[in-house]
Amino acid sequence: MSEDSEKEDYSDRTISDEDESDEDTFMKFVNEDIHQCALLTADSISDPFFPGTTQILLEYQLGRWVPRLREPRDLYGVSSSGPLSPTRWPYHCEVIDEKIEHIDWTPLNPEPMYIPTGLEMEPLYANSKEETVVYLAEDAYKEPCFVYSRVGGNRTPLKQPVDNCDDTLMFEARFESGNLQKVVKVAEYEYQLTVRPDLFTNKHTQWYYFQVTNTQAGIVYRFTIINFTKPASLYNRGMRPLFYSEKEASAHNIGWQRIGDQIKYYRNNQGQDRHHHFSLTWTFQFPHSKDTCYFAHCYPYTYTNLQEYLSGINNDPVRSKFCKIRVLCHTIARNMVYILTITTPLKNSESRKRKAVILTARVHPGETNSSWIMKGFLDYILGNSSDAKLLRDTFVFKVVPMLNPDGVIVGNYRCSLAGRDLNRNYTSLLKESFPSVWYTRNMIRRLMEKREVILYCDLHGHSKKENIFMYGCDGSDRCKALYLQQRIFPLMLSKNCPDKFSFSSCKFNIQKSKEGTGRVVMWKMGIRNSFTMEATFCGSTLGNKRGTHFNTKDLESMGYHFCDSLLDYCDPDRTKYYQCLRELEEMEKHINLEKVIDDSDTSLKEITLDLETSSHASDSSESNDSQTDLLKLNSQIKTKKIQLKTKKERNSTIARHQNIREEEQEIQGLLYQMTVYLIISEDSSLTKQREALKVPYSHLLQMTGPKHMQPLTDNTW
């Protein structure tokens, strides 16, 4: 139920049939036998004792009227008896009537990243009166700030800059999540594009999503977007633009695909006021003539997509029993922010026993990959697998799938219609300006009063780094155990998903500029595991997926791996938990050892030579045996999970291998002490240390190689 319902106007909601006039309801029951149960609302009674509300129902029982609260609606605005709640736009935004839809499709083979040839051009365009403007969206600058919203946006006739009278491409972006401000035809088959900054700002030019028509097959076209602002980009690391053809979709069932040649991201000469801009250029041949095509920065996922998905859940008699959908609040444009509560229906005795897990996404509207991860999570947690049921029986999930629907609708990259980054305003008291994050923080605070929240995760996209990784908070000012425990869940995730998730890319700190983010605010509120999950716009540098782009199925699979890791993290059999904890301790030792080496008078080169001399010939065989054991162990661990009570049976092989690993790690600990002592005491010899530690010399030869002084880096269980 909406937490700001006291002040809301529900005129824009779709009301179900159960909300017919209360007077008719009253007369219906008056005409029936008075001894039967009857209902009416409190505002139908003229007695001043009752408040004028429709939320209190009066039930006639045993000769008297008994008041009770009306049952909350399952979903405001999305009901089986009416249409979806229409999207609301700033009143001045021009919006076309056509509904844009795309099919879901996964490429049969991984899509490789672009490999630069070194011959890519860097088009630089000078202003010329001979240039032809083929598309111009001026509506974005009619107001300096948000004024009010309306369904469908600007209702005046739409302007078309150029008639379709020649071979010129036609562009359009005045649809949901679309972003394109201006297109100039600079040559016969060459177009210069400008993307629109976030509404009511002059920055954040990153997201693009537009339509192209009047195409010709077999012609090499060049497109150049000229007003990016970030100096670094994944386009310089192999990322390709996304392309969609309606003819390919209808004829061959092919959806979004990575395309483009001659791709280059570079600094251009369009800078103003000493602020330099950057260009992205690529060439492409359309597969069909007279086709309707689309280009995008990432796989689009709109507010309408979310509403249709939630409507499907609400109308499903099975999923709707354990997934309750409410309206958390309304945005400043009066669009709904939904919150999902997912759990097996609670009994009174269990009400406070279940711990809570919180997931949020799309606080930054241009980071559409976060919505695909969220979709994968919801698909799995609402599924019929035994693990999904186990998770619902064990936890209460609070999910806010789209924190910034206003920004998503208008095609912003980062900001809301307040012109601000919502993920820097979780500490703000301005409820009217930042309602979604204000109500999210308030919901979590109230939830923590009732039950323990074991994990908070906010899903994002990342524009500069490959792979998927997490940002956490630094607990170094507290005990060492807490400092390491905050890293256990990301490490487990990297083991469950070694070809997508990179633990080495994770960071755990709190920067001054990030103190208003959801991750930091929730951590300071007392949630120990508070994370931001960052998914690249590009692809992977790991394992079998190295050098390929992520598609929607790859992103959705992270939702499953999140659930899989949550089961591992909370498994009553703590084998995996303590294994990760020991690995983290080894990593920490390695970091401390590097600090000692940096501060010592002994050169790192001399130490390395000494260690290599003592164990030069033993590393290869040791490594091969270790890798074989890990592969066998991995094949046994990655079986389908069953209920938590039988996880010991499922993971029985871990304990045997763990004993062997513990013996090796004890020796590694002794060697660590020995190495530090060698650094400090230059005149100490290996023989003296061996005698002092009582370790067999042959074992030292096997274990003191440089490989064994590194942290444990295997990405499997």
Side-chain angles (χ1 to χ4, degrees):
M1 189 175 191
S2 173
E3 295 184 20
D4 60 349
S5 58
E6 296 177 357
K7 299 182 181 180
E8 291 178 354
D9 174 15
Y10 296 100
S11 59
D12 60 340
R13 291 179 175 173
T14 301
I15 307 299
S16 62
D17 294 336
E18 66 180 347
D19 299 303
E20 296 174 350
S21 74
D22 298 311
E23 183 177 357
D24 292 341
T25 305
F26 174 72
M27 294 304 298
K28 173 183 177 182
F29 284 103
V30 167
N31 293 332
E32 295 179 355
D33 187 356
I34 193 65
H35 295 289
Q36 296 179 357
C37 179
L39 293 173
L40 72 157
T41 54
D43 65 344
S44 299
I45 304 296
S46 59
D47 192 328
F49 173 79
F50 293 102
T53 177
T54 61
Q55 299 307 307
I56 296 179
L57 297 178
L58 301 178
E59 187 172 0
Y60 192 80
Q61 294 179 343
L62 302 177
R64 65 190 184 93
W65 293 98
V66 180
R68 66 174 176 83
L69 287 175
R70 180 194 292 273
E71 290 293 330
R73 301 186 188 98
D74 282 344
L75 182 61
Y76 288 120
V78 180
S79 68
S80 58
S81 60
L84 297 173
S85 178
T87 56
R88 303 182 66 91
W89 297 68
Y91 84 96
H92 56 81
C93 288
E94 296 179 351
V95 185
I96 63 175
D97 293 330
E98 179 186 1
K99 182 179 180 181
I100 307 299
E101 293 182 313
H102 306 297
I103 64 170
D104 289 334
W105 175 74
T106 304
L108 296 177
N109 299 309
E111 297 175 294
M113 297 181 190
Y114 177 73
I115 301 176
T117 63
L119 303 176
E120 290 80 9
M121 294 176 56
E122 296 184 1
L124 297 175
Y125 304 107
N127 293 328
S128 172
K129 295 182 179 180
E130 298 179 358
E131 296 173 347
T132 303
V133 176
V134 298
Y135 178 82
L136 182 62
E138 297 177 311
D139 57 291
Y141 301 100
K142 290 183 178 179
E143 296 288 355
C145 62
F146 176 77
V147 180
Y148 68 92
S149 67
R150 60 161 59 129
V151 175
N154 192 344
R155 296 168 183 169
T156 58
L158 301 181
K159 300 183 295 295
Q160 296 293 342
V162 176
D163 293 331
N164 185 11
C165 57
D166 56 14
D167 294 332
T168 299
L169 294 178
M170 303 295 294
F171 294 80
E172 183 59 83
R174 292 171 293 183
F175 48 80
E176 188 176 357
S177 295
N179 187 311
L180 186 64
Q181 180 177 313
K182 183 180 179 181
V183 180
V184 176
K185 185 176 182 180
V186 295
E188 186 174 5
Y189 302 113
E190 192 167 344
Y191 295 84
Q192 172 187 299
L193 291 72
T194 304
V195 296
R196 174 183 54 75
D198 285 3
L199 280 184
F200 316 122
T201 77
N202 60 357
K203 52 186 178 180
H204 305 304
T205 51
Q206 183 75 26
W207 169 255
Y208 61 88
Y209 173 32
F210 56 88
Q211 180 191 87
V212 180
T213 56
N214 200 35
T215 62
Q216 294 185 71
I219 300 296
V220 178
Y221 291 90
R222 177 177 290 276
F223 302 92
T224 305
I225 301 175
I226 64 170
N227 65 327
F228 288 127
T229 55
K230 292 187 176 183
S233 172
L234 287 168
Y235 287 110
N236 265 347
R237 304 180 71 153
M239 179 173 162
R240 298 174 185 259
L242 277 165
F243 169 78
Y244 185 96
S245 162
E246 289 191 356
K247 287 190 175 182
E248 284 289 291
S250 61
H252 307 293
N253 201 37
I254 294 177
W256 288 100
Q257 51 188 318
R258 299 284 180 173
I259 55 85
D261 292 307
Q262 298 292 310
I263 301 171
K264 188 159 189 179
Y265 188 91
Y266 58 97
R267 178 173 159 179
N268 61 34
N269 61 349
Q270 302 296 318
Q272 298 178 358
D273 301 327
R274 297 183 180 179
H275 295 290
H276 292 283
H277 289 152
F278 298 83
S279 292
L280 167 67
T281 187
W282 74 93
T283 61
F284 180 65
Q285 296 185 48
F286 291 100
H288 304 282
S289 297
K290 304 300 180 182
D291 194 4
T292 298
C293 303
Y294 300 84
F295 291 98
H297 179 60
C298 191
Y299 302 97
Y301 193 96
T302 66
Y303 184 58
T304 297
N305 292 148
L306 174 66
Q307 286 194 309
E308 291 173 345
Y309 185 85
L310 297 183
S311 181
I313 297 173
N314 191 60
N315 295 332
D316 188 322
V318 176
R319 292 184 295 172
S320 60
K321 289 181 180 179
F322 47 77
C323 179
K324 299 301 180 183
I325 309 174
R326 303 285 186 267
V327 175
L328 176 69
C329 64
H330 284 72
T331 66
I332 61 177
R334 303 296 297 162
N335 290 300
M336 300 178 190
V337 179
Y338 298 105
I339 180 170
L340 285 62
T341 302
I342 303 171
T343 191
T344 303
L346 291 166
K347 299 178 181 178
N348 292 335
S349 60
E350 300 176 346
S351 59
R352 291 181 178 270
K353 293 182 180 179
R354 293 185 187 176
K355 299 178 181 180
V357 176
I358 300 167
L359 266 77
T360 60
R362 287 303 279 280
V363 70
H364 294 150
E367 296 170 2
T368 59
N369 39 7
S370 68
S371 279
W372 290 102
I373 296 177
M374 176 63 77
K375 179 180 180 298
F377 167 78
L378 292 175
D379 285 344
Y380 185 77
I381 200 67
L382 298 177
N384 57 7
S385 68
S386 58
D387 279 5
K389 184 179 183 301
L390 176 61
L391 287 165
R392 297 194 298 265
D393 291 342
T394 308
F395 302 105
V396 175
F397 293 90
K398 292 286 186 178
V399 180
V400 185
M402 192 171 286
L403 281 162
N404 191 354
D406 289 352
V408 171
I409 290 169
V410 301
N412 279 3
Y413 175 66
R414 196 169 186 87
C415 297
S416 71
L417 292 184
R420 301 283 294 277
D421 184 346
L422 293 179
N423 201 36
R424 298 296 183 272
N425 286 281
Y426 272 90
T427 58
S428 175
L429 301 178
L430 301 177
K431 178 171 64 173
E432 291 76 15
S433 298
F434 316 114
S436 61
V437 296
W438 191 95
Y439 279 103
T440 297
R441 183 190 65 198
N442 192 50
M443 176 272 294
I444 295 173
R445 178 184 59 79
R446 292 168 58 186
L447 182 65
M448 294 177 69
E449 295 173 356
K450 299 178 181 179
R451 65 184 75 250
E452 179 185 354
V453 177
I454 65 165
L455 190 144
Y456 163 90
C457 186
D458 188 23
L459 306 180
H460 284 255
H462 204 281
S463 64
K464 296 181 181 179
K465 295 170 66 175
E466 295 94 341
N467 306 313
I468 300 172
F469 50 94
M470 278 181 162
Y471 292 144
C473 298
D474 188 1
S476 58
D477 57 332
R478 302 184 183 183
C479 64
K480 178 182 178 181
L482 181 60
Y483 172 80
L484 295 178
Q485 286 172 6
Q486 294 173 123
R487 291 155 170 78
I488 291 177
F489 184 81
L491 182 58
M492 286 182 167
L493 198 52
S494 71
K495 291 177 176 295
N496 287 327
C497 188
D499 58 351
K500 301 183 187 74
F501 191 93
S502 170
F503 182 75
S504 62
S505 297
C506 296
K507 293 183 179 180
F508 302 87
N509 55 37
I510 300 176
Q511 299 175 353
K512 183 72 174 177
S513 61
K514 303 296 179 65
E515 290 184 349
T517 63
R519 164 178 61 93
V520 176
V521 170
M522 302 312 158
W523 183 75
K524 290 183 176 180
M525 285 171 56
I527 301 177
R528 183 177 64 190
N529 293 303
S530 184
F531 303 110
T532 297
M533 181 187 288
E534 299 277 355
T536 180
F537 286 107
C538 186
S540 175
T541 63
L542 306 170
N544 295 332
K545 288 202 166 290
R546 181 182 181 88
T548 62
H549 289 86
F550 287 150
N551 55 49
T552 55
K553 293 303 178 186
D554 292 324
L555 296 171
E556 289 177 25
S557 71
M558 286 306 303
Y560 157 73
H561 292 301
F562 181 92
C563 295
D564 193 37
S565 301
L566 187 59
L567 282 176
D568 287 335
Y569 184 80
C570 299
D571 191 349
D573 180 354
R574 308 301 281 167
T575 302
K576 291 182 179 180
Y577 183 94
Y578 289 121
Q579 177 183 339
C580 288
L581 190 59
R582 279 188 287 269
E583 290 190 25
L584 290 168
E585 289 174 346
E586 290 298 323
M587 294 179 191
E588 186 69 13
K589 286 180 182 179
H590 178 68
I591 294 173
N592 292 336
L593 177 60
E594 287 181 338
K595 291 181 180 178
V596 172
I597 292 174
D598 290 340
D599 295 338
S600 68
D601 294 331
T602 305
S603 70
L604 180 61
K605 181 177 180 181
E606 292 175 354
I607 297 172
T608 304
L609 289 173
D610 185 52
L611 290 173
E612 288 178 346
T613 302
S614 66
S615 60
H616 177 73
S618 62
D619 286 343
S620 60
S621 61
E622 183 77 11
S623 176
N624 290 338
D625 292 340
S626 176
Q627 290 295 326
T628 303
D629 289 342
L630 287 171
L631 288 173
K632 291 179 180 178
L633 184 58
N634 182 53
S635 65
Q636 294 166 338
I637 291 297
K638 295 307 293 177
T639 56
K640 197 64 180 175
K641 281 187 169 59
I642 55 178
Q643 294 199 6
L644 287 175
K645 293 181 180 179
T646 60
K647 277 205 168 185
K648 289 185 178 179
E649 178 181 347
R650 178 162 53 88
N651 297 326
S652 59
T653 57
I654 294 182
R656 294 195 299 270
H657 288 269
Q658 194 64 30
N659 292 334
I660 299 173
R661 182 179 284 273
E662 287 176 357
E663 293 177 0
E664 293 177 351
Q665 289 177 345
E666 287 179 4
I667 297 174
Q668 283 181 301
L670 293 173
L671 291 171
Y672 163 74
Q673 299 174 16
M674 180 197 73
T675 306
V676 173
Y677 189 81
L678 283 172
I679 295 169
I680 298 173
S681 305
E682 294 182 1
D683 60 342
S684 298
S685 67
L686 184 62
T687 303
K688 291 181 180 179
Q689 293 302 312
R690 175 180 60 83
E691 294 174 352
L693 295 172
K694 304 299 182 184
V695 177
Y697 187 77
S698 60
H699 213 147
L700 281 176
L701 288 177
Q702 292 179 357
M703 298 300 295
T704 54
K707 171 181 177 296
H708 291 91
M709 300 311 297
Q710 300 296 323
L712 301 178
T713 57
D714 50 280
N715 285 326
T716 63
W717 290 111

